[in-house]
Amino acid sequence: MTPGPISGSELFELDDATIERLELTANAMRESIISMLLAAGSGHTAGPLGMADIFAYLFMHALRHQPSNPAWPERDRLVLSNGHICPVLYAAMAHSGYFPIEELQTLRKFGSRLQGHPHRERLPGLETSSGPLGSGLSQAVGMAIADRIDSPSSDRTIYCLLSDGEHDEGATWEAGMLGGKEKLRNLIAIIDRNNIQIDGFTEQVMPLEPIADKWRAWNWHVIEIDGHNFRAIDGAIREAKAIYEHPTMIVAHTIPGKGVREFERKYEWHGKPPDAKQGKMALDELRTLDGRIRAEHEGSR
Amino acid sequence: MIVPDQHFDARIFEKDVAMAAIRSGFGDGLVLAGERDPNVVGLCADLTDSTHMLPFKEKYPDRFIEVGVAEQNLAGVGSGMAAMGKVPFITSYAMFSPGRNWEQIRTTICYNDQPVKIAGSHAGISVGPDGGTHQAIEDIAITRVIPRMIVLSPCDAIEARKATIAAASTGTPVYLRLAREKTPVMTTDDSPFEIGKAQCVWDTSLGQPALEPQVTLIATGALLHQALVAAREVAADGIGSIVINLSTIKPIDEAGILAAVRRAPRVVTVEEHQVAGGMGSAVAELLVQRMPVPQRFIGVGDDFGQSGTPEELIAHYGMDTPHIVAAIRDVVHV
């Protein structure tokens, strides 16, 4: 089995300036998410807001990529399996320089590169199309196997973001078994463990706990973190990269709707956008929040 | 008579015609494709021997992935490998891939435009004793409806080998339909094969005596043999025909089919598949728009298969030579 957990945060520390930069970017991404959902008039709210910190960390800090050259052959790969949270992916791409931030206003509109669920061919920088749940991890496993065939010593990382709800899909487990069997050390998957899906709380719709133990049983290295704590996120990614002969599953506990009090922890916000009044309230709150986010992280150390 | 340019085996109407399984031609072709292109990889869902992927696995163990009995994952992993530049062949029984994993094929492979090759073995009703659960007679319908998918249905083992090699170099998703049982080997190494090309393999106007063709028989897969036997039988009664081997069902060879139907404007389509949505439907979709003519469909009606010998099943579901002969006589008298 895997060696005992290494506390990544003991090995490495993000400096305060980096954390502050990531917090500000995540907050700006949340504003973008709200404003693009308002413009679209449909789409998902809770998941994108909840994953803004992790996407900010990945796109601004961890990913080896070149936003101005999306097809750069040496890039890491990022598969978004739960395609319905694509507003956060689009926001991360825009804020890291893949395309102009103004283009976010075209979300879900006719002719847009920003399809309601991501379409690889439409937007350079997307590694795959997604939306139907339960297929992303399979594709990430395939990418990781191919990467290993081409270069066994490659230090490329294949990231896969998936939801807790899509664990209801059997194909997720099929991919989990294969990832463990193939000892894919270049694969890091992150579950958005926000406890909600469309019909309600996950533990009511289809109980998933003990979710971490399930992945351990398939021979994955498992790390549980607070998905809003940048030091914890950073430590987990560094730990995952140091693990040999196991793929890593990071169970990131997140607050759905994070950043807007009215939306937080309510499954009702899984699949709908804010109306004009709710959107204005959310944007007002996000635009005055820097201090509060900062204080929360200070408190969680 | 057999069109000389087709270089068919001279024994095709004899009792000693060579027999081989179409899936074995796939196995041979995959090894050759692997030799030509180091990016060719093989993935299988616990049926490596049955699908004839074993020779590839033994020659290229580092390019073979066993995913277990998990066809949905099979498709997704194939897509991911293609995204990294590989040319994956994913194999299982046709009933399970593309049967069970249709949405994964549709979205992760075709919508995503990844050049994964889906080899579905044990296609058709002649799988026999396994019964209706294992008899894929809907696979043409469900694959040809997916945008970008090329659908290939070779008529024998040699053509399957050529189709496999050709599929490896298309750069697009491909479905390869493969039968389990040994079937007559009609083509030879010299027979022409090209994706997208309907081959005219029989033409009574070339015979002695020459017979003006009245019926165009369009067959796909191993039933091409029964279609040829039927064409020869009715020729003895003075009914001339053209027989087309339609090994590419999609994209369909519009020019080739229309050229034949222009000469012999009565059509009988022959396939080991449900009539609904199959090759005959594809032909009808073309003809009804461009050259409406009477058509009869040889294939399984709105029904499931059952256990039996391949011969019993082909006869019971109306796809053997006597049924084809009857369909020809019927359409001629419209």
Side-chain angles (χ1 to χ4, degrees):
Chain A
M1 278 305 297
T2 55
I6 302 161
S7 172
S9 56
E10 286 171 15
L11 297 174
F12 303 93
E13 291 248 346
L14 288 180
D15 59 54
D16 288 347
T18 303
I19 289 179
E20 184 169 0
R21 179 173 62 87
L22 292 174
E23 285 176 348
L24 291 173
T25 304
N27 202 47
M29 285 167 49
R30 288 188 168 98
E31 289 183 40
S32 292
I33 289 164
I34 297 295
S35 81
M36 79 176 97
L37 288 169
L38 280 172
S42 69
H44 299 252
T45 299
L49 290 174
M51 286 298 281
D53 297 314
I54 284 171
F55 273 80
Y57 173 83
L58 291 172
F59 276 77
M60 308 298 160
H61 190 77
L63 270 180
R64 184 169 62 175
H65 64 154
Q66 293 181 352
S68 60
N69 180 19
W72 180 45
E74 299 304 311
R75 71 192 186 277
D76 287 339
R77 301 292 196 274
L78 185 145
V79 173
L80 176 65
S81 185
N82 49 333
H84 63 268
I85 71 162
C86 60
V88 70
L89 172 63
Y90 296 151
M93 291 176 75
H95 283 266
S96 59
Y98 280 87
F99 56 84
I101 288 174
E102 301 76 56
E103 190 172 343
L104 293 172
Q105 299 300 307
T106 69
L107 173 71
R108 288 177 169 247
K109 291 191 163 60
F110 182 73
S112 173
R113 301 198 294 175
L114 311 183
Q115 292 287 293
H117 292 81
H119 187 193
R120 180 181 82 91
E121 290 179 286
R122 295 255 178 179
L123 184 63
L126 291 179
E127 301 294 354
T128 186
S129 307
S130 56
L133 295 176
S135 294
L137 190 59
S138 295
Q139 294 171 72
V141 165
M143 290 178 188
I145 292 172
D147 180 49
R148 187 179 62 191
I149 289 174
D150 284 342
S151 173
S153 61
S154 159
D155 61 352
R156 189 197 311 282
T157 301
I158 314 295
Y159 293 93
C160 180
L161 285 299
L162 64 165
S163 68
D164 45 8
E166 68 181 322
H167 284 66
D168 298 356
E169 291 278 2
T172 300
W173 302 109
E174 296 179 4
M177 281 189 279
L178 184 61
K181 172 195 170 193
E182 295 289 330
K183 301 180 165 63
L184 297 171
R185 58 173 292 273
N186 53 351
L187 175 62
I188 300 177
I190 304 173
I191 302 173
D192 177 14
R193 185 63 172 124
N194 66 7
N195 302 300
I196 62 164
Q197 53 196 105
I198 288 186
D199 272 1
F201 293 105
T202 57
E203 301 312 291
Q204 292 169 341
V205 175
M206 180 54 66
L208 300 175
E209 291 299 337
I211 196 166
D213 287 347
K214 290 183 167 87
W215 287 98
R216 284 192 189 99
W218 297 125
N219 290 314
W220 286 60
H221 181 72
V222 180
I223 308 167
E224 290 198 69
I225 60 166
D226 169 0
H228 304 298
N229 182 322
F230 286 107
R231 281 204 170 80
I233 299 167
D234 184 60
I237 296 294
R238 290 178 185 279
E239 179 178 323
K241 288 185 176 180
I243 291 297
Y244 189 66
E245 290 203 332
H246 295 276
T248 293
M249 179 59 76
I250 297 172
V251 181
H253 295 276
T254 66
I255 296 168
K258 171 76 176 174
V260 182
R261 286 186 188 86
E262 186 65 24
F263 301 164
E264 287 184 357
R265 296 187 176 85
K266 293 185 180 133
Y267 73 79
E268 294 83 355
W269 282 102
H270 177 98
K272 68 173 182 179
D275 64 23
K277 187 177 162 203
Q278 293 160 333
K280 181 178 182 311
M281 173 270 297
L283 287 173
D284 287 346
E285 186 175 345
L286 287 167
R287 282 167 185 157
T288 58
L289 255 191
D290 293 347
R292 186 169 81 85
I293 289 175
R294 184 83 198 150
E296 283 191 2
H297 282 282
E298 295 292 341
S300 67
R301 278 186 202 168
Chain B
M1 67 172 289
I2 293 292
V3 176
D5 294 353
Q6 295 295 319
H7 301 286
F8 266 39
D9 192 310
R11 296 170 294 169
I12 69 160
F13 294 120
E14 309 300 325
K15 286 246 185 294
D16 66 341
V17 60
M19 302 285 282
I22 288 177
R23 59 184 168 137
S24 72
F26 162 72
D28 297 342
L30 185 59
V31 169
L32 292 167
E35 282 174 13
R36 291 183 184 193
D37 183 354
N39 281 318
V40 168
V41 294
L43 297 89
C44 196
D46 197 32
L47 291 166
T48 309
D49 194 16
S50 294
T51 62
H52 276 252
M53 192 169 254
L54 196 54
F56 181 87
K57 175 189 173 180
E58 287 172 346
K59 185 159 186 190
Y60 301 109
D62 297 340
R63 287 153 58 181
F64 171 81
I65 309 297
E66 171 61 77
V67 309
V69 197
E71 296 82 14
Q72 299 174 65
N73 192 40
L74 174 75
V77 173
S79 170
M81 294 187 79
M84 300 294 279
K86 300 298 175 194
V87 180
F89 280 76
I90 66 173
T91 60
S92 182
Y93 289 178
M95 200 57 253
F96 312 129
S97 176
R100 177 167 287 183
N101 57 4
W102 183 85
E103 190 274 331
Q104 281 82 5
I105 289 171
R106 182 253 187 198
T107 306
T108 75
I109 295 174
C110 294
Y111 184 69
N112 225 1
D113 198 22
Q114 295 296 1
V116 180
K117 322 301 169 184
I118 300 116
S121 94
H122 292 51
I125 206 159
S126 58
V127 173
D130 277 344
T133 55
H134 285 54
Q135 293 164 353
I137 49 176
E138 303 86 1
D139 55 321
I140 294 173
I142 64 173
T143 52
R144 79 180 184 90
V145 78
I146 307 177
R148 290 186 173 135
M149 184 78 91
I150 289 174
V151 180
L152 303 181
S153 168
C155 68
D156 66 14
I158 291 177
E159 196 172 63
R161 187 188 72 213
K162 295 173 186 173
T164 303
I165 294 167
S169 56
T170 59
T172 65
V174 176
Y175 174 53
L176 261 171
R177 179 175 218 238
L178 308 168
R180 174 185 191 274
E181 295 294 313
K182 287 188 175 178
T183 56
V185 179
M186 297 169 275
T187 68
T188 62
D189 287 348
D190 297 330
S191 301
F193 171 82
E194 188 184 332
I195 290 178
K197 183 97 169 99
Q199 303 290 351
C200 181
V201 298
W202 168 271
D203 185 343
T204 51
S205 73
L206 304 174
Q208 291 292 342
L211 263 182
E212 197 57 33
Q214 302 174 60
V215 179
T216 300
L217 277 163
I218 303 176
T220 195
L223 286 185
L224 174 66
H225 190 259
Q226 279 88 330
L228 286 167
V229 172
R232 195 172 74 140
E233 190 174 321
V234 297
D237 296 339
I239 301 176
S241 65
I242 293 168
V243 179
I244 300 271
N245 174 25
L246 196 66
S247 46
T248 306
I249 294 168
K250 186 187 171 194
I252 199 162
D253 182 357
E254 293 194 15
I257 290 171
L258 292 175
V261 175
R262 199 169 286 122
R263 291 176 56 211
R266 298 275 191 279
V267 170
V268 176
T269 52
V270 181
E271 62 192 311
E272 193 181 326
H273 185 276
Q274 294 232 17
V275 167
M279 178 275 283
S281 298
V283 169
E285 287 163 15
L286 167 66
L287 293 179
V288 79
Q289 297 180 81
R290 302 288 300 279
M291 199 181 294
V293 296
Q295 180 176 346
R296 297 290 177 269
F297 298 79
I298 293 290
V300 181
D302 186 26
D303 207 351
F304 292 110
Q306 59 180 300
S307 292
T309 67
E311 296 74 23
E312 287 168 335
L313 293 168
I314 293 290
H316 176 78
Y317 290 96
M319 297 177 287
D320 60 353
T321 301
H323 283 92
I324 300 171
V325 166
I328 295 169
R329 295 189 195 286
D330 180 50
V331 80
V332 164
H333 293 112
V334 172

